Amino acid sequence: MNYRFSYLSLGMFVASVFIITLLSTLNHVPATYKATEVRFCYGDSLEWKNPSYSTAHWQRNFYDSSGVFWIRLVVHITQPPQRFEPQGITVDFTGMYEVYWDGQLLGRNYHPHKATQQVQYAPLHGLFLIPDSLGKAGRHQVALRVRYFKNYGKSPHLLESDYTDLNVGNYLALAQDSLVSTAYVHIIAGVFLVIGLYYFFIFMVSNRHLRFLLFAIICMSFFALLIVEHLRFYYYYNFTFHYTRLVIIALLTLGISVLLPLFFMHRFPFKYKLRVIGAMLAMILPIWIFAQGIDPKTSYTMLVSFGVSLFLVLRAMQQRIEGSTEALLGIVVFFIAFVWLDNYDLKLFLGFGFLIIFMLLSLSIQMRKQRQEYEASLVHSSRLELEVLKKNIQPHFLMNSLASIIAWIDDDPAVGTRFIAALAEELEILIDVSSKKLIPLQREVELCESYLEVMSLRKEVNYTLYTVGVKPDDLIPPALIHTAIENGITHNHDKDGKMAFYLSFAQNRYQRHYTLMSVGVHRKTVAKKTGGTGLKYMEARLQESFPNRWQLLSKPIEGGWQTEFFIYNRETGASTASSP
């Protein structure tokens, strides 16, 4: 257990909960005043702007309108404004309007002489100054004379929908607070953009694991979500773009919600990816069909996504997969933010933001572990390099070879010369490939042929290698087939001065399959020599090059000995089966 990461995770969790608790407390402080007693009336009369005009017969619910209509509402300023602190009113409205405060015109969001031509140029957001004489504490009447309106949400409560809003408060605070918060949000967005680009480059350059690409896409999607969500605070776009912006926000949230469980399924290996994603989409589809408004759609979608993610993380914790605790803490923080905070934006940004931070910590733990395994593999690879050289340049091998050379030079110099050339070629190839992780199969076959020629001259047995369907450019660990041939010679002896080796290759969409069959007479006296140096060398090389994606079978067959290598396209676990 890594206590450094455990303490870091616990500290981040406590800090996250503290920040959410603090913001949930501050969120109850009324910085602005909301509207009450909202009434609607179709038609047009300037008399309706007067506070004394009775709206008892006006409608409470709004459905739609293609012409002029009025909205009347009441705002209560409960605290007397400070001196030299003017009051203001902000209106977010998907239409063209004039706003009146206690019967006095404050302004409009369109040019009065070009009303019909400027439908597409009326800004969504409007900020209007309330005169000091009218901004005192008490009950105030607000009237909106609407010239054109687009009811995107089909909501009967206009000022409580995703598309419209009205707030009254300190004029400078209304003008500045959103920009200040947006500045901090953009700093956070920049951090997530850098993190996303970093992991995208890691995926492209060095580590092709899909979890890094998914995490990069999630971070960059969250960056885009932050930018689009706060776009209205510094870019006063036309109200006709507002619905498009909300759809973009909803689609980004949907994309992140789908990618999140997919990331956890790759971070913590899970077999039934398509089934889980299909079930999640089946739950999300009715939400998008029947839920009214953008905020409910995105909120329920996130709850489904995080519920599925929680299931995957709990399963990973049950399997004791490193990094699952950090992922669980991130999901718990999200649920705390979702329950404790009233503001939707805070729910979204703090919930997702803290979760991504914990996901980053979980990935860091995994990358640290991979780095340690890589460093260990380098040491192991060096040992394997020495082993393959030591295995073939050991004293008794050289002594036997030199003794054979001397004998052949005395008896048949031509054969002695062939022996020296074959031995030199084998050692040259061994020195060339021993430091490499993978080599072309053609090079491996050349090594095996040189070795068999040396052994043929040493033992006066005709050793022959035949290949069937092999791909010369296919990459395998060095001396893999060479070692399997050595095992074949160890477990078999020749028949009538001959021994043949058949190397075949088969491939499908799931695996590559090599089979080496040694045709000879099985040596029963070496039946107990299973799991020896040669087998361990092949296991180590396969695990180094194809971690947990291989299988090795070595067993006697009728008429000889057979060794099989399976190299899978995805991780299935590594195994060896050897029979006497």
Side-chain angles (χ1 to χ4, degrees), residues 128-144:
F128 306 95
L129 179 66
I130 300 174
D132 292 340
S133 59
L134 300 178
K136 299 177 181 180
R139 185 179 189 274
H140 297 275
Q141 188 78 49
V142 179
L144 292 178

Side-chain angles (χ1 to χ4, degrees), residues 125-374:
H125 182 74
L127 173 61
F128 306 95
L129 179 66
I130 300 174
D132 292 340
S133 59
L134 300 178
K136 299 177 181 180
R139 185 179 189 274
H140 297 275
Q141 188 78 49
V142 179
L144 292 178
R145 184 190 187 195
V146 182
R147 301 290 300 272
Y148 177 87
F149 176 70
K150 190 67 175 177
N151 190 12
Y152 291 111
K154 304 300 180 183
S155 172
H157 307 290
L158 291 187
L159 300 180
E160 298 176 4
S161 72
D162 301 329
Y163 311 96
T164 55
D165 194 19
L166 186 146
N167 293 287
V168 176
N170 183 282
Y171 181 83
L172 294 178
L174 292 173
Q176 295 176 358
D177 285 356
S178 59
L179 292 177
V180 173
S181 63
T182 301
Y184 290 115
V185 167
H186 278 66
I187 294 174
I188 298 173
V191 171
F192 284 110
L193 176 62
V194 171
I195 293 174
L197 291 174
Y198 173 74
Y199 277 94
F200 177 74
F201 290 138
I202 285 180
F203 172 78
M204 294 298 296
V205 175
S206 60
N207 201 325
R208 285 283 179 167
H209 289 295
L210 191 58
R211 57 180 171 269
F212 293 106
L213 178 62
L214 291 172
F215 185 69
I217 295 175
I218 290 173
C219 287
M220 288 188 282
S221 299
F222 190 64
F223 158 79
L225 184 62
L226 289 173
I227 296 298
V228 177
E229 177 65 33
H230 282 75
L231 184 66
R232 64 191 178 99
F233 293 127
Y234 58 89
Y235 173 60
Y236 293 158
Y237 54 79
N238 302 323
F239 73 85
T240 52
F241 175 71
H242 187 58
Y243 178 75
T244 303
R245 169 181 161 272
L246 291 176
V247 170
I248 293 173
I249 291 173
L251 292 177
L252 285 171
T253 306
L254 175 62
I256 295 174
S257 299
V258 173
L259 289 173
L260 194 61
L262 195 59
F263 165 79
F264 284 121
M265 282 188 281
H266 284 86
R267 170 65 181 88
F268 310 115
F270 187 78
K271 292 183 179 179
Y272 308 106
K273 297 181 178 65
L274 292 179
R275 296 182 186 179
V276 171
I277 293 296
M280 186 179 70
L281 292 177
M283 289 186 286
I284 290 175
L285 184 60
I287 295 173
W288 280 69
I289 294 175
F290 299 109
Q292 297 295 323
I294 296 295
D295 285 356
K297 283 182 172 66
T298 55
S299 297
Y300 294 138
T301 298
M302 285 191 299
L303 283 177
V304 171
S305 173
F306 277 82
V308 174
S309 300
L310 180 62
F311 161 74
L312 296 170
V313 171
L314 289 176
R315 179 179 174 275
M317 289 190 66
Q318 185 181 19
Q319 297 175 341
R320 300 183 181 276
I321 300 178
E322 197 170 8
S324 57
T325 302
E326 286 70 24
L328 177 64
L329 292 177
I331 294 177
V332 171
V333 169
F334 170 83
F335 279 114
I336 292 174
F338 201 89
V339 173
W340 287 4
L341 296 175
D342 295 328
N343 185 279
Y344 173 77
D345 289 347
L346 285 178
K347 286 182 181 182
L348 178 67
F349 302 143
L350 287 181
F352 267 136
F354 283 128
L355 175 64
I356 290 177
I357 291 173
F358 279 100
M359 289 165 60
L360 177 62
L361 180 59
S362 178
L363 274 181
S364 299
I365 293 173
Q366 185 184 38
M367 292 180 69
R368 180 179 181 272
K369 182 179 180 181
Q370 288 179 339
R371 179 66 183 177
Q372 291 174 339
E373 292 176 350
Y374 173 71

Side-chain angles (χ1 to χ4, degrees), residues 485-502:
I485 288 177
E486 285 184 329
N487 281 354
I489 294 176
T490 302
H491 287 86
N492 294 334
H493 63 77
D494 63 282
K495 185 177 182 180
D496 300 328
K498 296 180 181 180
M499 184 182 293
F501 297 88
Y502 295 90

